[in-house]
Amino acid sequence: MNNHHRSVKVLRRGDLAKLTGCNLETIRYYENIGVMPEPPRSSKNYRVYDDRHVARLRFIMRARELGFTLDEVRDLLALVDGGAQTCGEVQGLANAHLASVRAKIADLKRIEHVLSSTVAQCSGDDVPECPVIDALREEA
Amino acid sequence: MNNHHRSVKVLRRGDLAKLTGCNLETIRYYENIGVMPEPPRSSKNYRVYDDRHVARLRFIMRARELGFTLDEVRDLLALVDGGAQTCGEVQGLANAHLASVRAKIADLKRIEHVLSSTVAQCSGDDVPECPVIDALREEA
DNA sequence: CTTGAGCCTGTACCAGCTACAGACCCTAGA
DNA sequence: TCTAGGGTCTGTAGCTGGTACAGGCTCAAG
């Protein structure tokens, strides 16, 4: 109860980082590239954040966890900020992203298949002959 | 049959690029970072390649297609160049890489699951309420 | 003899951060 | 009151795996 002469505790960059788990420098980076808004500054030029910044950063971090690129995040935020976003528009972006996620999975599965079946042929012994090396050397 | 007064046609950087499908600039990049050896130079300072360079570059490209990082490629090449590589050593590297591929697949599948089940709840309509946006806003 | 293609070099750029140097600023302890 | 330590500010460099371009040289064909 000692903050009645300290006004409401303001959030500085480090506080925002701790609250969200975001790296301190990343916050500034997001501001530079325009996905986080420029916050107001204190008299000593410190960035001052509030609840909406916390929510915004969490939104961004969740989108990143879902593999959205920062460009896609910008698009999502533009829709949300526009206020008039529609479910259809968002669904469009999400579906496009989903397609690219599925493409990556397919690529990796192909790689996984080749690698695992090749490694399975390895003797694992102390000999120079190795199916993995052979596969990499193979004449196409 | 007009090359008997031209000696054997030498491979220059562009030829190597065409033969392998590798980007011209990437060849120089691989040389800079030490995965391709510095080739001999012609009198006019042009790089001169031979069959072993072609094989080397193909090896690198196949390893990259299998998702090996350039660091891992360097390790593979060091083993091969050492001449005394053993199947066991190569298998070790390949298994480590396989594990990271599988980890990536698991990550992407988790993402795919979250995304697809969320998108499936979308009405797709011209309304502002959207399950995707809700998921991104969600208080953890 | 000119024009175009190829090669040479160094350097800048992309995503998506991360980290560091060199200034400030502020608070707590001696 | 001084000082040590933390925090913050700015700009900039580094990472991976390339890609691309400018400005200069060389070479062959027309």
Side-chain angles (χ1 to χ4, degrees):
Chain A
M1 295 284 174
N2 66 347
N3 61 353
H4 63 106
H5 55 85
R6 190 106 160 50
S7 86
V8 201
K9 175 88 169 74
V10 297
L11 295 176
R12 289 188 303 179
R13 193 149 56 99
D15 302 316
L16 183 56
K18 244 167 236 149
L19 273 174
T20 58
C22 185
N23 179 290
L24 182 72
E25 300 289 290
T26 302
I27 295 170
R28 195 160 57 99
Y29 172 69
Y30 284 165
E31 183 182 326
N32 286 338
I33 63 164
V35 298
M36 282 292 285
E38 287 184 31
R41 301 291 184 117
S42 74
S43 57
K44 286 300 178 283
N45 202 33
Y46 288 8
R47 288 171 179 82
V48 176
Y49 297 99
D50 64 25
D51 291 351
R52 282 159 311 161
H53 293 99
V54 178
R56 177 78 157 214
L57 185 47
R58 288 204 171 123
F59 185 101
I60 297 165
M61 290 174 77
R62 286 203 187 94
R64 294 289 300 129
E65 278 163 25
L66 290 178
F68 286 96
T69 65
L70 285 169
D71 260 3
E72 290 169 329
V73 171
R74 234 187 302 264
D75 291 344
L76 286 169
L77 288 169
L79 283 183
V80 172
D81 289 350
Q85 96 274 5
T86 67
C87 186
E89 288 172 311
V90 176
Q91 196 185 24
L93 293 179
N95 271 326
H97 176 54
L98 188 49
S100 83
V101 170
R102 286 178 171 149
K104 271 180 205 137
I105 292 175
D107 273 2
L108 286 171
K109 276 190 173 175
R110 196 178 34 72
I111 288 171
E112 199 260 7
H113 183 72
V114 174
L115 266 178
S116 62
S117 61
T118 308
V119 167
Q121 295 166 40
C122 282
S123 66
D125 290 345
D126 216 9
V127 296
E129 300 77 38
C130 179
V132 174
I133 295 295
D134 291 347
L136 290 170
R137 276 206 238 266
E138 215 152 71
E139 297 301 312
Chain B
M1 295 285 172
N2 66 350
N3 62 353
H4 64 105
H5 56 85
R6 196 122 153 38
S7 84
V8 200
K9 175 88 167 73
V10 297
L11 295 176
R12 289 188 305 179
R13 192 148 58 98
D15 302 317
L16 184 55
K18 243 166 238 152
L19 273 174
T20 58
C22 185
N23 179 290
L24 183 71
E25 299 289 291
T26 303
I27 295 171
R28 196 159 58 98
Y29 172 68
Y30 284 167
E31 183 182 324
N32 285 339
I33 63 164
V35 298
M36 281 293 283
E38 288 183 29
R41 300 293 183 116
S42 74
S43 59
K44 285 301 177 282
N45 203 32
Y46 287 9
R47 289 172 179 83
V48 176
Y49 297 100
D50 63 27
D51 290 352
R52 282 160 311 162
H53 294 99
V54 177
R56 177 78 156 215
L57 185 49
R58 288 204 172 124
F59 185 101
I60 296 165
M61 291 174 77
R62 287 204 186 93
R64 294 289 301 129
E65 277 163 26
L66 290 177
F68 284 96
T69 66
L70 284 170
D71 259 4
E72 290 168 330
V73 171
R74 234 188 301 265
D75 291 345
L76 286 169
L77 288 169
L79 283 183
V80 173
D81 289 349
Q85 97 276 5
T86 67
C87 186
E89 288 172 312
V90 176
Q91 197 187 22
L93 293 179
N95 270 325
H97 176 54
L98 188 50
S100 84
V101 169
R102 285 179 172 148
K104 271 180 206 137
I105 292 174
D107 274 2
L108 287 171
K109 276 190 171 173
R110 195 180 33 74
I111 289 171
E112 198 262 4
H113 182 73
V114 174
L115 268 179
S116 62
S117 63
T118 309
V119 168
Q121 294 166 41
C122 281
S123 67
D125 289 346
D126 217 9
V127 296
E129 300 79 36
C130 179
V132 174
I133 295 295
D134 291 348
L136 290 170
R137 277 206 237 265
E138 213 151 72
E139 298 299 312

